Amino acid sequence: MNWNPDEHYKNRQVANEYDRRRFSSMAGRIFNYLEKRKVTRCFASVPKDSRIADAPCGTGRLAEPLLQAGYRVHGLDISGEMLDVARRRLDRFGDRFTCEVRDVKTTRPSEPQFDAALCARVLMHFPLEQQIEFLSGVASVSRSTVVINHSLDSAYQRLRRQIKRWLGHQPSVNHPITNAQIKHLLRQSGLRQVRRYRLFSLVSEAVYIVAEPLRISAATRDGRIASK
Ligand SMILES: C[S@@+](CC[C@H](N)C(=O)[O-])C[C@H]1O[C@@H](n2cnc3c(N)ncnc32)[C@H](O)[C@@H]1O
């Protein structure tokens, strides 16, 4: 499929229809509801009122439950059109929600500007090398927790995808990854897995990973050694 996620969403109609096309069916509504709960749960150890970077923010779908949970959110996205939808949706949160157009793949600030970060529903659209560029950008803006979601490529999920193809369904993502590749992706992006969650593992590839920067793991380990 010749589909470029860096460009596809820079279109007003695509942006305005994003939520309705994906999440208005009964299954879509249930999945959306459970995913929002799962993502909020992934941030349970992050103090309320922390500033979370949502990268990419898209239409603010997942920024909304984080704002409702008491966090401040700054959305980053390469598409101004998607962010226009997010601004309208999240207007009621006033200055607790801010956003800016930014290419996350090339973002490397000298200091992290946010307490934590979310990276949802984007990595699986890129080949692994570009996933590393993207996630490195996300990791570079966060001082601590980074929550990502991905599509798991296991023997069971490959069989499920094959059956879906036989039934005439399009595979939903181009680049699901194996557990070994997840480890590689995290490490190359300067992260380490702390916890992971699944959502409907029999019928969905979705995996939610709570990660932390390797520099924090190293500092905790050194602190433990020093205090012995
Ligand atoms: C499928 S949407 C997901 C949005 C949101 N995280 C969600 O879960 O609803 C993917 C988003 O990634 C954004 N995107 C693609 N490439 C990007 C890049 N290089 N930098 C920042 N955002 C990018 C797109 O503009 C789009 O809004």
Side-chain angles (χ1 to χ4, degrees):
M1 197 192 343
N2 187 15
W3 182 77
N4 180 356
D6 288 324
E7 296 299 326
H8 175 75
Y9 297 94
K10 294 177 183 173
N11 174 300
R12 198 150 303 282
Q13 191 180 351
V14 168
N16 287 338
E17 291 182 354
Y18 175 82
D19 289 276
R20 186 182 59 75
R21 287 179 77 97
R22 281 162 191 76
F23 305 112
S24 61
S25 67
M26 180 58 83
R29 286 214 300 269
I30 293 171
F31 186 85
N32 195 24
Y33 171 77
L34 293 174
E35 183 169 67
K36 286 177 176 184
R37 281 190 15 164
K38 191 67 78 186
V39 165
T40 308
R41 184 165 172 211
C42 286
F43 285 97
S45 65
V46 177
K48 295 290 150 57
D49 209 41
S50 294
R51 201 153 171 249
I52 297 178
D54 183 6
C57 173
T59 60
R61 185 179 69 91
L62 296 174
E64 190 168 33
L66 294 178
L67 287 157
Q68 284 164 339
Y71 297 107
R72 291 173 289 148
V73 179
H74 185 75
L76 305 173
D77 202 289
I78 204 165
S79 160
E81 289 78 3
M82 293 291 269
L83 291 180
D84 284 343
V85 178
R87 272 193 213 93
R88 287 199 297 274
R89 165 187 248 148
L90 304 173
D91 187 47
R92 69 187 188 281
F93 294 99
D95 63 6
R96 297 183 70 78
F97 174 73
T98 50
C99 60
E100 72 184 285
V101 174
R102 219 198 269 183
D103 182 347
V104 174
K105 282 185 192 157
T106 57
T107 291
R108 298 292 183 277
S110 50
E111 290 286 318
Q113 307 129 300
F114 302 96
D115 300 308
L118 168 65
C119 178
R121 274 188 178 243
V122 73
L123 297 172
M124 59 291 271
H125 297 309
F126 295 114
L128 188 55
E129 281 313 305
Q130 290 185 44
Q131 295 184 25
I132 294 170
E133 278 175 41
F134 200 109
L135 190 55
S136 299
V138 177
S140 74
V141 303
S142 172
R143 279 185 279 273
S144 68
T145 303
V146 175
V147 174
I148 74 168
N149 89 332
H150 217 304
S151 295
L152 196 57
D153 184 14
S154 61
Y156 172 74
Q157 294 298 345
R158 277 193 293 280
L159 175 66
R160 208 177 66 82
R161 283 164 75 87
Q162 184 59 51
I163 293 171
K164 279 178 85 176
R165 268 193 292 270
W166 285 334
L167 294 174
H169 296 276
Q170 289 287 328
S172 47
V173 300
N174 289 335
H175 302 281
I177 65 175
T178 61
N179 277 318
Q181 288 170 324
I182 289 179
K183 222 171 165 179
H184 177 73
L185 167 66
L186 290 174
R187 177 164 287 278
Q188 292 301 308
S189 308
L191 296 168
R192 173 189 87 89
Q193 176 175 306
V194 178
R195 274 192 312 284
R196 80 160 58 182
Y197 301 101
R198 297 293 309 276
L199 198 59
F200 296 135
S201 57
L202 283 180
V203 293
S204 160
E205 303 167 348
V207 57
Y208 300 81
I209 296 171
V210 182
E212 68 177 15
L214 287 168
R215 62 177 185 276
I216 291 190
S217 322
T220 313
R221 195 187 53 234
D222 294 349
R224 267 203 311 270
I225 291 166
S227 64
K228 275 187 184 165

